[in-house]
Structures are given as structure tokens and as C-alpha cells.
Amino acid sequence: MTTTLDYDGDIAVLDLGDDENRFTPEFLDEVDAHLDAVLAKGAHGLVTTADSKFYSNGLDLDWLGAHSDQGPWYVSRVQGLLARMLTFPIPTAAAVVGHAFGAGAMLAIAHDFRVMRTDRGFFCFPEVDIRIPFTPGMAALIQAKLTPQAAVASMTTGRRFGGTDAHAHGLVDATAGEGSVTAAATDLLRPLGGKDSGTLGAIKQVMFGTAAHALTSIESGAGH
């Protein structure tokens, strides 16, 4: 699995990979390095996408099972990435080209905007069915972005939302056809390119400070 970073004009396009794009420690390191590069280049926006039928399946449960002694470190690392995306100082959009499950769906939720493929792929928080409760930070992230009704519908049921269904519940901002999702996400960000990153970053820190703190606090990293 390799992540890649490209640019569409002033918009950075981060491809999460061509498989299930689970959050291995190496994946987390790569994404953080790409985010550093995006800021260093002065990009006007960031789109994340994938070259797969998956956007991301989230936590690498196989790795976690083999390194159970590192569980708190790993969850803290994942939550650090979610907090970083939530408060990233440029406009962000997730191009949900395929399945987004668990922490993969949380990564999408952490973006400012989401565009999902209309006809294929599911957006799902399966925690209730796989018997893994949300940490306080993960719950705070989702609840900071969704209406109470949508949070209950997605967090307590394990329901798999297709694109149209996800749009109707406000989980995503728009849908697009096959092959058009990344372009649609990029087009969402293009008009926002002139925003001052220091101001935007400060606004997001205020808007989402409670969720970001819950994600980066030690207590929430020990719950999974």
C-alpha cells in the first residue's frame, strides 16, 4: 500500500491507496508526512481520495491483534490524525469513492466536506456490531459534524448508508457518478482558495476544539 500526493492546480489531492487503505502505522506516518508537505507548499485546499472500491476500512484490526500491548498508542495515533484533519488550516474535502467504514468513515467526517459516489459504496460506523464502543474522542468527532438524529441513526445501528441515503441524512454534502467524485470534491474547494490559513485554522480550532481535545486527550486514547 502506498499513498500518493498530487496537485490539481492549487488543490492538493492525496490518494489513500489502492486496497482497503487501513490505518497501519506506516499509513499514518505517510499521511502525516503528506499533510506536512501540503502545508509547506501553501496549497489552497486538500482532497483525499482513493484508487479502490474502498475509501478506507479504518483501523488495522489485524495489526492491533498482533500488537495488543501497543493498543493505547495506536488508538492515540489514529485519533491524532483525526484531530489534525478536523482542524486542518485549509479547506478539506473527502472524495468517498467507495466503502468508508469505522475509522475510515471518521476520517471522512473530519473533513470540512464530503462527496460520495452515488451508486456504489457504503458509509458505515459498524462499532455496535463488532462490539467496539466509540472512544469519547471518536464520538465527539462524529457528533460535532452530524445532527443528533443522524448521529443516532449511524452510531447506534451499524447501518450501511449508500450515497443517496448518506446525502439525505447529512453524512455527506453531495454525491457524484463513477469517475466524477474526486473532481466534484475538488470543485467544491476551488472557490475557497483565497482564505487565510491562520484565520481558518483558528476558526476550526474554536468550532471543533472540544472534539479535538477529546481526540488528543490521554483518557480517550485508552478506551479501545
Side-chain angles (χ1 to χ4, degrees):
M1 176 188 65
T2 52
T3 58
T4 56
L5 182 63
D6 206 345
Y7 289 86
D8 182 346
D10 290 324
I11 307 293
V13 180
L14 173 56
D15 189 321
L16 300 178
D18 59 3
D19 57 13
E20 292 190 16
N21 306 329
R22 289 185 181 269
F23 295 178
T24 65
E26 295 76 18
F27 174 94
L28 296 168
D29 287 342
E30 287 181 26
V31 171
D32 260 333
H34 287 315
L35 295 181
D36 290 341
V38 167
L39 294 180
K41 192 174 176 68
H44 289 181
L46 169 68
V47 170
T48 62
T49 185
D51 186 25
S52 172
K53 67 178 181 178
F54 298 95
Y55 172 77
S56 172
N57 250 352
L59 299 184
D60 187 345
L61 298 178
D62 289 341
W63 186 92
L64 201 51
H67 303 84
S68 56
D69 58 316
Q70 297 181 58
W73 169 85
Y74 175 72
V75 173
S76 176
R77 187 83 175 72
V78 169
Q79 294 192 167
L81 174 61
L82 296 176
R84 186 177 190 189
M85 190 63 73
L86 183 63
T87 57
F88 207 58
I90 60 175
T92 59
V96 185
V97 294
H99 301 308
F101 273 71
M106 292 175 207
L107 179 62
I109 283 284
H111 291 64
D112 297 331
F113 308 103
R114 284 153 296 289
V115 179
M116 188 170 172
R117 184 170 159 179
T118 307
D119 60 329
R120 189 174 176 190
F122 290 115
F123 195 103
C124 178
F125 297 118
E127 280 74 7
V128 70
D129 291 324
I130 59 176
R131 300 184 180 185
I132 300 179
F134 295 96
T135 65
M138 291 172 175
L141 164 65
I142 299 166
Q143 289 175 281
K145 288 299 186 82
L146 300 183
T147 66
Q149 293 90 336
V152 170
S154 58
M155 294 174 71
T156 69
T157 67
R159 177 173 170 181
R160 299 182 176 200
F161 295 84
T164 304
D165 202 15
H167 187 217
H169 281 79
L171 301 174
V172 301
D173 300 275
T175 58
E178 180 183 4
S180 303
V181 181
T182 303
T186 307
D187 288 343
L188 264 183
L189 298 188
R190 225 177 283 283
L192 305 176
K195 309 301 181 191
D196 175 70
S197 62
T199 305
L200 182 59
I203 288 171
K204 290 189 190 181
Q205 287 284 355
V206 170
M207 286 178 72
F208 304 121
T210 301
H213 180 264
L215 283 164
T216 54
S217 69
I218 295 169
E219 292 79 16
S220 61
H224 259 13

